[in-house]
Amino acid sequence: MTTSIQFRRQLIVAILLGAAVVGAFIRHYAEPGALRNVGTLMMLIWVPIVGNIVGWLIGRIKRKPQTTVAGTLPPTFVAGSAFKPQALVDITLRPASVPAEDKAIAEGEHHCAFVVDNQAFSARWLLPQGAAVLRRGQPRAVQVEFLAPAVALPLFTADTRFRMLVGQSFIGDGRVVELIKPS
């Protein structure tokens, strides 16, 4: 079953193919001059459609899902584990790319990667219950726990600036205020 959009696309492809065939016929039998040039142009109308067909065929190729190194998932925080803050940081979330996504950030635990220079470190930060909501573009002090503190903390000294990465997008910027001594 084809939709009306698919039908229209098929109709356009058929019309352009017909124009290219007529153009080839004109070009073959016409003497050099204006009529032959019109035939050439009619044949060239078909060129963009060929690119679309090749793109469609490539999109139909089944690809294996991308896996991480050695087929394992990257390490993450254990679900339900206690939050042990290791640093106090000021963060400012960047404005949302779409106005509909420009909402206050909910209280609770949030995961991201903190990027210093070209190194990223998995971390989670906490907005405590009952705290004022966090709005994009407004700086806010939050506590942070790193997944690998022995590796991350030497790079996150006071006044170190970093970016916050979620997926493939940088969502915010920050600065380390102070490191928190374990109790």
Side-chain angles (χ1 to χ4, degrees):
M1 182 172 144
T2 61
T3 65
S4 63
I5 292 175
Q6 289 173 331
F7 175 74
R8 281 184 265 175
R9 287 181 181 162
Q10 291 172 353
L11 182 63
I12 289 169
V13 167
I15 290 170
L16 292 176
L17 177 59
V21 169
V22 170
F25 183 76
I26 291 171
R27 182 167 163 66
H28 181 71
Y29 290 105
E31 295 293 327
L35 188 58
R36 186 178 176 111
N37 290 342
V38 169
T40 302
L41 286 175
M42 290 177 71
M43 287 175 53
L44 289 176
I45 289 174
W46 178 250
V47 172
I49 298 300
V50 172
N52 287 329
I53 291 172
V54 169
W56 178 80
L57 288 172
I58 289 173
R60 303 286 297 175
I61 295 173
K62 301 255 188 230
R63 298 182 196 148
K64 290 190 286 185
Q66 185 177 3
T67 59
T68 58
V69 177
T72 61
L73 293 174
T76 185
F77 290 95
V78 177
S81 63
F83 182 82
K84 299 173 190 149
Q86 297 156 342
L88 179 66
V89 300
D90 277 334
I91 61 170
T92 305
L93 297 180
R94 296 178 180 173
S97 58
V98 179
E101 294 176 359
D102 196 14
K103 300 175 184 171
I105 306 302
E107 52 192 32
E109 185 177 290
H110 302 275
H111 295 238
C112 66
F114 285 5
V115 180
V116 174
D117 295 326
N118 63 348
Q119 298 181 53
F121 301 92
S122 294
R124 60 182 176 176
W125 49 278
L126 185 65
L127 280 179
Q129 295 283 28
V133 295
L134 175 60
R135 296 252 177 227
R136 295 178 181 275
Q138 297 176 347
R140 175 75 173 271
V142 296
Q143 294 180 335
V144 173
E145 178 183 11
F146 291 99
L147 183 62
V151 179
L153 288 176
L155 293 174
F156 285 88
T157 58
D159 288 328
T160 299
R161 299 211 175 269
F162 59 87
R163 293 175 293 166
M164 300 170 66
L165 179 68
V166 173
Q168 295 180 355
S169 301
F170 286 106
I171 63 158
D173 302 288
R175 178 185 65 85
V176 177
V177 175
E178 66 179 337
L179 296 179
I180 298 173
K181 302 284 185 215
S183 53

